[in-house]
Amino acid sequence: MALQSIWDIIRAHEAYLRSPFFPVLFSLTVYLGFCLPFVVLDLLSSKVAFLRKFRIQQKSQVSWSVMWSCLAQSLYNHVVYIFPLTVLHWYWRPVSYPAQAPGLLRMVWDIAACLLLFDFQYFIWHLLHHKVPWLYQTFHKVHHKYTSTFALSTEYSGAWETLSLGFFAAVNPLLLGCHPMTEMLFFMLNIWLSVEDHSGYDFPWSTHRLVPFGLYGGAPHHDLHHLKFKSNYAPYFTHWDRLFGTLQSS
């Protein structure tokens, strides 16, 4: 009943949901909203020792100019690349919003499936873009400009990387036949986990501390990838790096 009530509220704004502007505004708003708390932490941690102790690389600091550079790149990618594609998608494949909300168990199952599939796709893409020098130099190197991660570096990437990863995130709910509400929640979770991965902070409540048995790498896992380049290629979970012998913890 709770899901149905939430879905009814969302459907009441269907005119906005059907706008060609909605997907890019939704993506950008969610991304910046998730980045904002970490941006505040970055600005405060250089002055507050209590906050600084949670930074993974405690000697690193994030300047305003670096933040603006990353923000400008993200805005550029959304306006120049993502927006035109969402307009084409809106024109060729209009989204339908059923009256019935998804069941809770089905929604959780579908979100988990989308996340695991994205994790595998990104791992393969990422591994190839590190192992093949031309791919790294041409497409992925820009994302590795900063060896110490911070939230706004999450989407600091070129067109090919932005579109590739965006394609994986967009196509998985379609492949798995997800409800539009499930799709929205998956997008939000995927963006949050990606921002948290790049946040540069390790808190007691961070996702990797909540998932047992070391199954989830989280921010320390990905920060180490940016620092050393040759390990930890999966974005979230650790099983693919374990299988391929590319997992590194320190």
Side-chain angles (χ1 to χ4, degrees):
M1 291 295 292
L3 282 179
Q4 186 62 53
S5 298
I6 295 170
W7 181 237
D8 289 341
I9 293 171
I10 293 172
R11 287 185 68 244
H13 301 86
E14 190 169 340
Y16 296 103
L17 299 177
R18 291 186 179 279
S19 166
F21 296 97
F22 175 75
V24 70
L25 290 175
F26 176 77
S27 171
L28 190 58
T29 302
V30 171
Y31 172 64
L32 294 179
F34 286 152
C35 283
L36 184 59
F38 293 112
V39 169
V40 174
L41 286 173
D42 287 335
L43 295 174
L44 293 177
S45 62
S46 60
K47 301 174 183 177
V48 182
F50 174 75
L51 295 176
R52 190 161 56 250
K53 73 178 184 178
F54 294 109
R55 276 203 61 83
I56 297 168
Q57 297 188 43
Q58 294 186 8
K59 294 182 180 180
S60 68
Q61 294 186 7
V62 187
S63 67
W64 272 110
S65 62
V66 166
M67 288 186 188
W68 280 115
S69 174
C70 291
L71 179 59
Q73 182 68 36
S74 180
L75 292 173
Y76 177 83
N77 287 340
H78 274 82
V79 172
V80 176
Y81 302 117
I82 297 176
F83 177 62
L85 289 178
T86 59
V87 171
L88 290 175
H89 183 271
W90 166 82
Y91 179 77
W92 281 325
R93 192 182 182 277
V95 180
S96 103
Y97 295 96
Q100 191 71 29
L104 178 60
L105 291 179
R106 174 62 189 270
M107 184 179 71
V108 172
W109 173 267
D110 283 349
I111 290 174
C114 285
L115 200 61
L116 287 167
L117 183 55
F118 179 85
D119 191 73
F120 169 70
Q121 293 162 331
Y122 187 98
F123 173 79
I124 297 299
W125 186 97
H126 202 186
L127 185 67
L128 287 173
H129 282 71
H130 274 268
K131 296 299 183 182
V132 180
W134 180 79
L135 290 176
Y136 179 80
Q137 292 292 332
T138 308
F139 299 116
H140 189 50
K141 186 178 180 179
V142 62
H143 184 64
H144 278 277
K145 179 177 180 179
Y146 304 106
T147 55
S148 178
T149 55
F150 54 96
L152 285 171
S153 68
T154 305
E155 293 191 0
Y156 189 80
S157 57
W160 170 248
E161 182 161 352
T162 298
L163 296 177
S164 296
L165 303 186
F167 173 77
F168 295 150
V171 78
N172 290 348
L174 298 178
L175 291 175
L176 297 174
C178 295
H179 189 281
M181 185 179 184
T182 304
E183 185 176 359
M184 289 179 189
L185 290 173
F186 163 64
F187 286 161
M188 294 177 70
L189 178 62
N190 197 36
I191 292 171
W192 164 252
L193 293 177
S194 187
V195 168
E196 187 193 40
D197 260 11
H198 289 84
S199 69
Y201 289 91
D202 183 3
F203 292 110
W205 55 83
S206 294
T207 306
H208 71 281
R209 295 187 179 276
L210 304 178
V211 178
F213 312 120
L215 296 175
Y216 189 89
H221 179 265
H222 197 69
D223 188 85
L224 190 63
H225 169 75
H226 274 258
L227 184 63
K228 298 190 175 181
F229 299 105
K230 296 184 179 181
S231 60
N232 301 351
Y233 297 110
Y236 307 138
F237 302 99
T238 57
H239 53 277
W240 293 115
D241 281 304
R242 290 183 194 278
L243 286 170
F244 280 75
T246 54
L247 185 67
Q248 187 176 356
S249 58
S250 60

